[in-house]
Amino acid sequence: MLVVQLSDPHIDALRPEKAAAFARAVGHVLELPLRPDAVLITGDCTDHGLRSEYDTFQALLAPLDMPVYVVPGNHDDRAALLSRFGHLGTQALPGFLHYVVDDLPVRLIGLDTQRPGHGGGELCGRRLEWLDARLDEARDRPTLLFMHHPPLVSGLDVMDAIGLEGSARLCDLVLRHPHVARVVAGHVHMALTTGFGSSTLMTCPGTDATFQPDLSHPHQLILQYQPPLALLHTWSQPTGLLSFTHFLESPPWVMLHDGQQWAPNDPPAAQAH
Ligand SMILES: [Fe+2]
């Protein structure tokens, strides 16, 4: 199984470079040596939630011939997303983009963390009770939760001011369900990894850039821009769930080690290893 996670494209009519970066990311997904089984977009699909921005977003997704699963970010319009993507998955919670994807070796559960009108997110009692029931009904299945707002404290005041309410309750829930193999999110535009209950939490940067904060100034947000990343979540019988960090900037290229040695004509840089 290969599930590609992209995040935070922020399609913006006034900033065409955002759409161009997302188009490159989609093209990159299609060039991967292994065809993905699904693509996750973990929110902030558009910057202003405008119809024209969603039209562009959907047009840019069109080349992807595998299922694409979307959850809303704080910049999105939930009603607009529901009208276009409300059919996704199964067992959807009415009024939210909260749903299950049950046809892969790893069960995927999309969580709608949006709190309309706020930069921060929330998982209210109704959304957490739904999740509790979904996790209870398949305790033998490795499960990946995907959402926009990560349930973490980054230590960066500007980011933490728009964090996720309900994180502690979500953590308790994950602790009671050790089959939650991974929790993944977007929002912070950085690549963070931390423990979360009995699971591991990872964030996927945006499709246009990865932010690297200047930690010498935690009360300000001084960002170095770095190349965009995707996360590739893979599963096989011997490995279980593995998540790779994958650069989106340059096209993927392939070299061969046949199990004994590198194939002839390796690139010079590779021969040094
Ligand atoms: Fe964002």
Side-chain angles (χ1 to χ4, degrees):
M1 183 201 81
L2 170 61
V3 172
V4 175
Q5 182 186 358
L6 304 174
S7 201
D8 293 77
H10 284 267
I11 302 299
D12 182 342
L14 299 177
R15 297 160 77 196
E17 70 274 14
K18 298 284 185 179
F22 189 57
R24 285 198 299 277
V26 167
H28 193 103
V29 168
L30 292 170
E31 289 176 16
L32 290 171
L34 187 62
R35 181 183 180 279
D37 297 292
V39 175
L40 311 179
I41 315 278
T42 43
D44 283 358
C45 307
T46 65
D47 206 49
H48 306 101
L50 301 176
R51 175 186 290 198
S52 62
E53 292 174 341
Y54 286 114
D55 288 345
T56 301
F57 176 62
Q58 277 195 296
L60 292 172
L61 288 177
L64 296 173
D65 58 353
M66 66 289 293
V68 177
Y69 298 107
V70 176
V71 287
N74 47 296
H75 282 261
D76 285 308
D77 178 322
R78 179 187 283 141
L81 273 184
L82 277 170
S83 72
R84 295 170 189 249
F85 298 99
H87 60 284
L88 295 175
T90 61
Q91 297 176 272
L93 179 65
F96 297 95
L97 253 81
H98 236 51
Y99 54 90
V100 177
V101 177
D102 226 349
D103 59 349
L104 295 171
V106 175
R107 199 168 186 239
L108 310 177
I109 301 183
L111 299 178
D112 180 338
T113 56
Q114 197 189 55
R115 186 180 176 207
H118 294 264
E122 66 175 352
L123 283 172
C124 57
R126 190 163 163 237
R127 281 175 271 187
L128 285 167
E129 285 159 19
W130 176 94
L131 176 60
D132 201 4
R134 299 291 77 75
L135 292 174
D136 269 342
E137 71 196 8
R139 299 184 73 94
D140 58 337
R141 300 276 310 281
T143 300
L144 178 148
L145 309 182
F146 64 102
M147 66 190 86
H148 181 66
H149 296 84
L152 56 73
V153 177
S154 70
L156 300 164
D157 294 353
V158 175
M159 290 292 187
D160 293 335
I162 53 171
L164 178 67
E165 278 188 31
S167 292
R169 288 186 64 193
L170 177 64
C171 190
D172 288 344
L173 205 155
V174 167
L175 274 170
R176 286 191 284 106
H177 295 93
H179 57 297
V180 177
R182 195 78 82 247
V183 179
V184 301
H187 189 49
V188 291
H189 294 238
M190 294 183 276
L192 299 177
T193 305
T194 186
F196 186 68
S198 51
S199 191
T200 301
L201 167 62
M202 302 179 74
T203 61
C204 181
T207 50
D208 64 328
T210 297
F211 294 166
Q212 183 70 41
D214 179 347
L215 297 175
S216 66
H217 298 80
H219 304 301
Q220 297 173 287
L221 199 54
I222 303 174
L223 302 170
Q224 305 164 31
Y225 279 70
Q226 300 191 339
L229 300 173
L231 296 181
L232 307 189
H233 305 293
T234 71
W235 184 91
S236 68
Q237 190 66 50
T239 65
L241 184 60
L242 286 178
S243 297
F244 294 81
T245 304
H246 189 85
F247 286 93
L248 289 168
E249 189 95 312
S250 54
W253 55 276
V254 175
M255 55 182 287
L256 173 67
H257 189 283
D258 64 7
Q260 302 295 324
Q261 60 185 359
W262 293 109
N265 304 319
D266 289 343
Q271 288 175 349
H273 300 284

